[in-house]
Amino acid sequence: MSLLVDTKMIYHCSQADIRGGGGVETYVESLVNAKIPGVSDRAITSLANVEQKYFKLLHLHDVDMLGELREECPAIFTLHNHSSYCPSGTKYLTNWGKVCDRTMNPWGCTWGHLVDGCGSRRPQNIWQDWRNANHPLEILKNLKIPVIANSNYVRQQIVSNGLSPKRVVTLRCAVQHPQTDNAPLNQKIHQKQRILFAGRIVPYKGVEWLMKALALCDQSIHLDIAGDGWNQPKMKKLADQMGLSDRITWHGWCNGEKLESLYQQCFAVVFPSVWPEPAGLITLEAYSHYRPIIASAVGGIPEYVRHGETGILVPPHDIKKLAAAINELGNNFSQSKLMGEQGQVWFQEEFTIDVHIQRLKIIYEKTIAEFHARNLHN
């Protein structure tokens, strides 16, 4: 660690595997590899034994690292998910198929685990889930550092759980440009009638809802599923029972090149999550490939979709409306193409890594200035 603290730079701090994975890993990897002047291309995975006073700024991405922060230098924390104000991490009541509207409290969250199906019923797991969320939240409340939320939805959640609104700023996500050349939707691709789901195959990602909607769609529409997960065997069995096996292709986990090709051969991307996604990375992936998005109006997703312009928002669990949205774009090439092009314009204006970094720099500069001003008066 001596090499790190000898250099006055900004460092990203995360225990995530930045060689790829989920949304947080992909995001941190993008920032670390962006070669931003003054920002290290190495991530710090632990602050426990680091002389923190030497750093220009520490940008934390993991709630587990908040307890290691001593506020000896400027620091900021990005809230990527619900884990610091929801013991289950989902804000979703599985047994009722509804978003949880409670603020975090021991009795309500215990009831959620036992009755609402939002987590394990085992007493030791309920206690551990509670501690894993409450402990970092209490630490975060006592720190003076600013917090970045990746949607106004997440910002509202953390504020309602006790953080001062003055400390929390919204900075929406960004994604890298596609690695290969891509182009607006053309008639030939549209005629193939393929839609794409990319994500984990777990219940709250809405694959079952999407399959039931597919059964109501035009027979020509084919679903490509890129991803894997523990619920996949059950979903494959359901597809067989529904007579949809010849209309669904299960691609499993896809590397970047394979995923690029799947984006290129679809006329729309479907994002059918039923839980309140903190943000909407898949929407940005769709826009970057000139594709419209059909997405659930839940959580932070609506902040990433301009309904009727870059895509179509649908109430979660509404099978008929999801099917109608898919059919609408499947039957209208010009509308699908226009929405994809408008999504691409919005992506270039708001959601590229370059745009994101410029906004992040402003937050860094303000955080550094306020830290030194505060310490000058102490």
Side-chain angles (χ1 to χ4, degrees), residues 26-52:
T26 302
Y27 172 72
V28 176
E29 179 189 28
S30 297
L31 294 182
V32 169
N33 293 335
K35 304 195 184 320
I36 310 166
V39 180
S40 176
D41 60 359
R42 296 169 61 181
I44 296 175
T45 57
S46 174
L47 293 170
N49 300 309
V50 175
E51 288 192 68
Q52 297 173 23

Side-chain angles (χ1 to χ4, degrees), residues 209-221:
W209 173 38
L210 174 54
M211 286 167 49
K212 289 177 178 177
L214 181 66
L216 301 182
C217 290
D218 295 343
Q219 290 292 311
S220 58
I221 291 176

Side-chain angles (χ1 to χ4, degrees), residues 77-371:
F77 171 63
T78 289
L79 191 58
H80 293 282
N81 51 45
H82 305 312
S83 61
S84 58
Y85 50 76
C86 172
S88 74
T90 65
K91 291 293 294 180
Y92 186 65
L93 308 178
T94 305
N95 288 351
W96 318 116
K98 290 166 51 176
V99 173
C100 177
D101 58 4
R102 305 184 187 110
T103 54
M104 192 170 76
N105 69 84
W107 308 117
C109 293
T110 299
W111 180 271
H113 279 61
L114 292 173
V115 178
D116 298 326
C118 67
S120 171
R121 290 183 170 187
R122 293 182 178 180
Q124 65 269 32
N125 292 349
I126 295 173
W127 163 244
Q128 191 60 49
D129 285 351
W130 169 259
R131 191 180 185 284
N132 288 345
N134 188 61
H135 183 61
L137 179 62
E138 292 304 314
I139 292 172
L140 193 56
K141 287 178 182 177
N142 291 325
L143 293 171
K144 298 183 182 70
I145 64 171
V147 174
I148 296 173
N150 56 7
S151 66
N152 284 329
Y153 175 80
V154 167
R155 181 181 183 276
Q156 182 270 323
Q157 292 296 319
I158 195 66
V159 167
S160 69
N161 279 278
L163 250 64
S164 166
K166 295 178 181 177
R167 282 182 58 193
V168 191
V169 61
T170 299
L171 178 64
R172 294 192 179 92
C173 298
V175 297
Q176 296 277 19
H177 287 276
Q179 297 298 309
T180 56
D181 291 337
N182 62 354
L185 182 67
N186 60 47
Q187 191 93 46
K188 184 178 179 181
I189 295 293
H190 188 266
Q191 287 173 350
K192 291 182 179 178
Q193 293 286 279
R194 301 184 85 97
I195 55 174
L196 173 65
F197 168 89
R200 287 175 296 144
I201 305 174
V202 292
Y204 52 82
K205 286 291 185 178
V207 175
E208 181 172 345
W209 173 38
L210 174 54
M211 286 167 49
K212 289 177 178 177
L214 181 66
L216 301 182
C217 290
D218 295 343
Q219 290 292 311
S220 58
I221 291 176
H222 189 94
L223 170 62
D224 286 300
I225 295 181
D228 53 24
W230 60 266
N231 205 41
Q232 183 171 323
K234 183 180 177 182
M235 291 299 97
K236 282 188 172 181
K237 184 177 179 181
L238 180 61
D240 288 340
Q241 292 170 347
M242 296 178 68
L244 293 173
S245 296
D246 60 341
R247 296 178 60 195
I248 300 175
T249 301
W250 305 83
H251 295 273
W253 179 86
C254 297
N255 60 25
E257 187 178 339
K258 173 66 174 175
L259 197 53
E260 294 273 333
S261 69
L262 291 174
Y263 275 113
Q264 287 303 304
Q265 72 179 28
C266 73
F267 70 80
V269 178
V270 187
F271 189 19
S273 287
V274 292
W275 76 299
E277 294 270 0
L281 279 177
I282 294 298
T283 64
L284 307 186
E285 292 280 356
Y287 301 155
S288 74
H289 290 90
Y290 290 91
R291 294 301 183 266
I293 188 86
I294 299 169
S296 304
V298 66
I301 297 174
E303 298 173 44
Y304 289 78
V305 181
R306 288 176 171 168
H307 179 65
E309 184 179 334
T310 66
I312 300 174
L313 287 169
V314 178
H317 295 292
D318 194 320
I319 298 169
K320 290 182 178 179
K321 286 190 177 178
L322 180 56
I326 294 169
N327 280 334
E328 181 180 337
L329 294 187
N331 292 324
N332 194 327
F333 163 66
S334 59
Q335 183 185 5
S336 300
K337 182 174 184 288
L338 179 61
M339 281 186 172
E341 289 172 338
Q342 289 174 160
Q344 168 72 200
V345 170
W346 196 26
F347 168 71
Q348 296 291 349
E349 290 173 348
E350 292 288 325
F351 300 116
T352 67
I353 286 292
D354 291 341
V355 169
H356 187 84
I357 286 169
Q358 293 307 312
R359 291 172 178 167
L360 200 54
K361 281 181 180 177
I362 294 169
I363 297 172
Y364 285 168
E365 289 165 5
K366 184 182 179 189
T367 301
I368 291 167
E370 289 179 349
F371 174 87

